[in-house]
Amino acid sequence: MCGIIGYVGDKDAVPVIIDGLKKLEYRGYDSAGIAVYGKNGFDIVKQKGRLVVLEERLSSLMRENKPLSGHLGIGHTRWATHGEPSDINSHPHTGSKNRIAVVHNGIIENYKQIKERLENRGVTFVSQTDSEVIAQLAEHYYSGDIIDTVIKVSNALEGSYALGVMCIDEPDLLVAIKKDNPLIIGKSNHGNFIASDVPAVLKHTNQVYYLNDREVAVLHEKDIQFFNTDREPLQKKAETITWSMDSAEKDGYPHFMLKEIMEQPKVLRDTIQSAVTDGENRKVLDNIDIIRFDKIMITACGSAYNAGVVAKYVFEKLCRISVEVELASEFRYKDAVINEKTLVILVSQSGETADTIAAMREAKSKSAPTLAIVNVVGSAIAKEADYCIFTAAGPEIAVATTKAFSAQLILLYILAIRFARRLGKIQPEEEQKQIEEIKSLPDKVSEILDRIGSIQMYASTCIGYKSIFFIGRNIDYAIALEGSLKLKEISYIHSEAYAGGELKHGTISLVEENTLVVALSNYYYLYNKIMSNAEQVISRGAKVLLIGNCPKVDQESGKFYHIVLPQVSEIFSPSLSVIALQLFSYYVAANKGLDIDKPRNLAKSVTVE
Ligand code: M6R
């Protein structure tokens, strides 16, 4: 939930690190800090607040003729877990003797025991964080060899960590290690990097190594060495990142979220291409023998879970196979009834979500084969799952997912169609017809994006609502879940999604004047039902926003507003509904003037439980 970066090279580390932190700020943004190896040892500045507060502090130091500068440094942007956001709890942390400085992403589960042990030996702690124990323990162990020290510290830690470590006796050396949290190593012609994610280094290099758990990276300006924890050298191959810096820039849009919404036609085309022609995804799909399974279990968190709920309807309809969808945070502890005949599908943009990783390991421990749908190459889930297919969304920076969600849906559809064919539930002609329809989706998404102005205008009238409910039936209900999540996470308006038929079993008592109900309607045979739900809430004072390709309603009364979507088969309609829902949420939040890309209390990758 935090972002870390480190640099050793011939450039001044300060601007390099600050620039990298900007690309990592999506991971956490309640405080930030930097340490460089300066003329007189470590110089550290850390501040509560957004990165911009740290930048202001660095500028004022410059004005006071006390600029921070050095060729070796580490930086951190934080999402607080242990200890409130404050200057003192911000990273980097040092040991009491100021000999070792550390940035940490993760959670140290045994920090209390370590802290107590060190306190009994006279060490004084200054912060409330779990991370400080790493620096203090490192100083406790240190006797001249920082690499051995990092290995010893790693052996003593329980929990998850990606660490960047500097030592006062090593002005040219950066050491890194990780367990259960991501860390990449970047190799450039002016120096070397560690970082939580590729965008942080992409301006300098497209050559990265993905560090595996408990591998140690030792970086100098001109070389990088890797070791295992027995200090045996490891040979690792650098991978070339094929996407460019543009993906990590706003490109003239006011927010990453809007940019990412607008990118969806291309993302869908690329994802479809990789799965239906001869791309890597296609090869993986061809290798999965669906016939051996009698059940599918989909597990994920947040929006990825919502994609799973949509998929359940699609799989059951096309494949006539039983599908369960479980929140990963529940699945991991519920002793699920799964075995080698269950295909467990994990969906995750980041591939690093702690609960989804745990769910995957739980599935494996019960011999259930795992198939992951992931966006981030080299992520933990991508590496550990038995099969992995990738969404071609490129880096997604906004905390609220849009393009990765749409790409997940597409892969789930294609998976369902391929499985249905393999199971003999559809004939080759039907399979081809469905694939052709999938291929038509990007253009239909573009059609909706071309009408952005009308959604923007309508959304601007909705900022005063205290509560907004989302309803739908069948697959429209599944996508209503995503509409509601999107709205609440970025606009801070209370919102819930319900199956249309469920409203009258309790929730309708919350409907009054100044309530908006968003009704999804893409099912002709359920049209009358959802419309009678709409009438029920209107007669209790609510306004209704209708989204779907059902017959156009009379908007004269002012009680309805209809965003009409292009025609598409019902099972694929979520791919179109979600575009309207994303734009609606985005413009409600934008009209409220909120920090859309970094909503309060959230972070992009939830790598803690
Ligand atoms: O990286 P993941 O897809 O595993 O993340 C899962 C959720 O944390 C994520 O979808 C979250 O709900 C988003 N902020 C929703 O926009």
Side-chain angles (χ1 to χ4, degrees):
M1 297 295 267
C2 302
I4 70 172
I5 179 164
Y7 173 73
V8 52
D10 65 16
K11 290 195 183 304
D12 183 0
V14 177
V16 170
I17 287 174
I18 294 295
D19 187 69
L21 285 178
K22 284 184 188 157
K23 304 290 181 308
L24 296 175
E25 215 185 356
Y26 71 89
R27 302 178 67 87
Y29 33 84
D30 59 41
S31 40
I34 179 169
V36 289
Y37 201 113
K39 285 200 186 85
N40 306 310
F42 296 154
D43 288 325
I44 300 181
V45 181
K46 44 194 209 171
Q47 298 274 162
K48 175 183 169 181
R50 296 281 164 100
L51 188 55
V52 61
V53 181
L54 178 70
E55 283 186 278
E56 278 157 15
R57 179 81 194 111
L58 291 171
S59 304
S60 70
L61 283 172
M62 185 99 82
R63 286 195 296 275
E64 291 160 27
N65 261 334
K66 294 184 274 181
L68 220 66
S69 146
H71 293 275
L72 165 68
I74 48 181
H76 189 272
T77 176
R78 179 169 187 243
W79 186 85
T81 56
H82 296 64
E84 57 173 13
S86 68
D87 294 354
I88 204 80
N89 286 337
S90 310
H91 298 220
H93 290 285
T94 60
S96 308
K97 296 179 209 138
N98 222 21
R99 298 180 67 74
I100 289 173
V102 170
V103 282
H104 167 223
N105 170 34
I107 286 194
I108 304 306
E109 287 163 6
N110 58 342
Y111 84 100
K112 281 195 181 135
Q113 295 90 311
I114 298 176
K115 189 170 179 178
E116 210 176 285
R117 248 173 43 215
L118 293 173
E119 278 173 339
N120 287 340
R121 289 168 182 256
V123 175
T124 308
F125 281 76
V126 293
S127 78
Q128 292 102 46
T129 64
D130 55 336
S131 308
E132 189 187 347
V133 302
I134 303 169
Q136 298 285 15
L137 189 64
E139 276 197 0
H140 173 70
Y141 285 146
Y142 181 64
S143 60
D145 186 329
I146 188 62
I147 303 171
D148 273 356
T149 302
V150 169
I151 292 171
K152 259 178 137 172
V153 168
S154 160
N155 288 339
L157 298 178
E158 285 168 22
S160 60
Y161 47 86
L163 301 179
V165 181
M166 301 196 310
C167 173
I168 202 75
D169 297 328
E170 303 281 0
D172 308 307
L173 176 71
L174 181 58
V175 185
I177 191 165
K178 67 149 255 168
K179 179 181 160 271
D180 290 341
N181 268 322
L183 200 62
I184 60 113
I185 310 297
K187 178 176 80 164
S188 86
N189 54 16
H190 60 78
N192 295 315
F193 295 83
I194 63 165
S196 298
D197 198 359
V198 174
V201 303
L202 210 50
K203 191 169 170 181
H204 307 276
T205 179
N206 65 354
Q207 295 298 301
V208 305
Y209 300 90
Y210 289 93
L211 209 60
N212 291 318
D213 280 356
R214 312 248 300 132
E215 287 179 351
V216 186
V218 177
L219 289 77
H220 289 95
E221 179 187 327
K222 293 201 184 317
D223 70 273
I224 305 172
Q225 294 162 294
F226 297 99
F227 299 96
N228 63 20
T229 47
D230 292 326
R231 208 149 168 187
E232 293 161 343
L234 299 172
Q235 297 307 318
K236 286 180 80 74
K237 201 169 155 293
E239 296 192 27
T240 304
I241 302 298
T242 47
W243 37 271
S244 71
M245 261 312 285
D246 299 351
S247 333
E249 302 289 350
K250 277 194 215 147
D251 209 12
Y253 286 96
H255 299 101
F256 277 109
M257 182 174 175
L258 186 58
K259 176 185 175 234
E260 289 163 3
I261 289 173
M262 301 306 281
E263 281 171 358
Q264 289 178 106
K266 176 175 182 331
V267 165
L268 296 194
R269 268 184 211 107
D270 291 350
T271 306
I272 294 166
Q273 159 90 9
S274 75
V276 301
T277 51
D278 55 357
E280 281 306 308
N281 285 341
R282 173 70 197 262
K283 289 183 203 143
V284 177
L285 291 181
D286 286 348
N287 275 334
I288 305 172
D289 183 15
I290 184 68
I291 297 175
R292 50 189 266 238
F293 301 111
D294 56 18
K295 181 162 111 180
I296 293 176
M297 168 72 78
I298 305 175
T299 181
C301 301
S303 292
Y305 167 83
N306 294 339
V309 180
V310 173
K312 174 181 164 70
Y313 286 93
V314 181
F315 275 103
E316 290 189 340
K317 186 160 176 69
L318 293 182
C319 306
R320 310 307 299 157
I321 188 169
S322 165
V323 179
E324 286 178 38
V325 194
E326 281 281 359
L327 292 165
S329 53
E330 291 298 310
F331 175 87
R332 62 183 292 188
Y333 293 119
K334 71 170 266 198
D335 193 13
V337 185
I338 54 169
N339 54 34
E340 66 290 346
K341 292 181 130 201
T342 314
L343 177 64
V344 174
I345 302 180
L346 307 137
V347 188
S348 176
Q349 186 284 129
S350 62
E352 299 291 348
T353 301
D355 284 321
T356 313
I357 293 176
M360 172 181 64
R361 291 179 183 160
E362 169 69 8
K364 287 182 150 225
S365 75
K366 291 187 159 163
S367 309
T370 50
L371 162 63
I373 297 180
V374 170
N375 194 40
V376 179
V377 178
S379 58
I381 296 176
K383 280 190 198 151
E384 268 185 57
D386 299 314
Y387 305 96
C388 185
I389 50 178
F390 290 98
T391 43
E396 192 180 58
I397 310 290
V399 164
T401 181
T402 52
K403 58 178 181 170
F405 175 87
S406 287
Q408 287 162 357
L409 279 188
I410 287 290
L411 284 184
L412 286 160
Y413 293 152
I414 294 172
L415 202 58
I417 295 166
R418 295 294 188 218
F419 284 177
R421 174 69 200 109
R422 214 82 61 74
L423 290 163
K425 302 294 178 195
I426 57 173
Q427 296 308 307
E429 309 75 55
E430 178 60 14
E431 179 188 23
Q432 200 42 44
K433 199 173 137 228
Q434 307 263 19
I435 292 290
E436 289 309 316
E437 185 158 17
I438 298 262
K439 287 186 185 164
S440 76
L441 289 174
D443 286 344
K444 292 181 178 173
V445 168
S446 296
E447 254 183 72
I448 303 170
L449 294 175
D450 288 345
R451 287 188 271 127
I452 197 166
S454 58
I455 301 178
Q456 178 176 12
M457 211 147 58
Y458 178 74
S460 68
T461 66
C462 296
I463 60 173
Y465 288 113
K466 283 191 297 210
S467 256
I468 300 185
F469 294 100
F470 289 73
I471 58 170
R473 287 170 179 261
N474 208 287
I475 212 163
D476 279 332
Y477 161 59
I479 201 63
L481 293 170
E482 176 59 8
S484 169
L485 175 60
K486 208 87 311 174
L487 181 83
K488 73 179 103 172
E489 74 173 322
I490 58 168
S491 75
Y492 313 149
I493 294 176
H494 168 256
S495 165
E496 301 295 336
Y498 287 94
E502 196 57 22
L503 261 188
K504 57 187 169 300
H505 296 289
T507 310
I508 201 160
S509 67
L510 295 173
V511 173
E512 53 181 353
E513 295 289 334
N514 209 24
T515 306
L516 177 67
V517 176
V518 180
L520 279 297
S521 180
N522 291 287
Y523 271 85
Y524 276 77
Y525 81 98
L526 292 171
Y527 175 67
N528 290 336
K529 306 236 177 255
I530 202 75
M531 289 311 283
S532 64
N533 289 141
E535 293 297 347
Q536 285 157 11
V537 295
I538 286 173
S539 61
R540 284 158 181 88
K543 294 259 169 58
V544 170
L545 165 61
L546 201 62
I547 298 180
N549 57 27
C550 59
K552 197 157 170 45
V553 292
D554 171 20
Q555 304 187 75
E556 289 299 292
S557 63
K559 292 171 182 162
F560 278 108
Y561 185 83
H562 191 177
I563 298 175
V564 183
L565 299 180
Q567 292 301 320
V568 70
S569 294
E570 285 142 359
I571 51 168
F572 303 134
S573 64
S575 282
L576 304 187
S577 301
V578 78
I579 306 297
L581 291 165
Q582 292 165 353
L583 287 169
F584 173 68
S585 301
Y586 172 79
Y587 281 116
V588 171
N591 278 292
K592 288 182 80 177
L594 296 172
D595 190 352
I596 294 178
D597 288 336
K598 301 186 193 88
R600 68 185 177 208
N601 305 337
L602 292 175
K604 183 78 180 160
S605 313
V606 186
T607 56
V608 295
E609 204 181 331

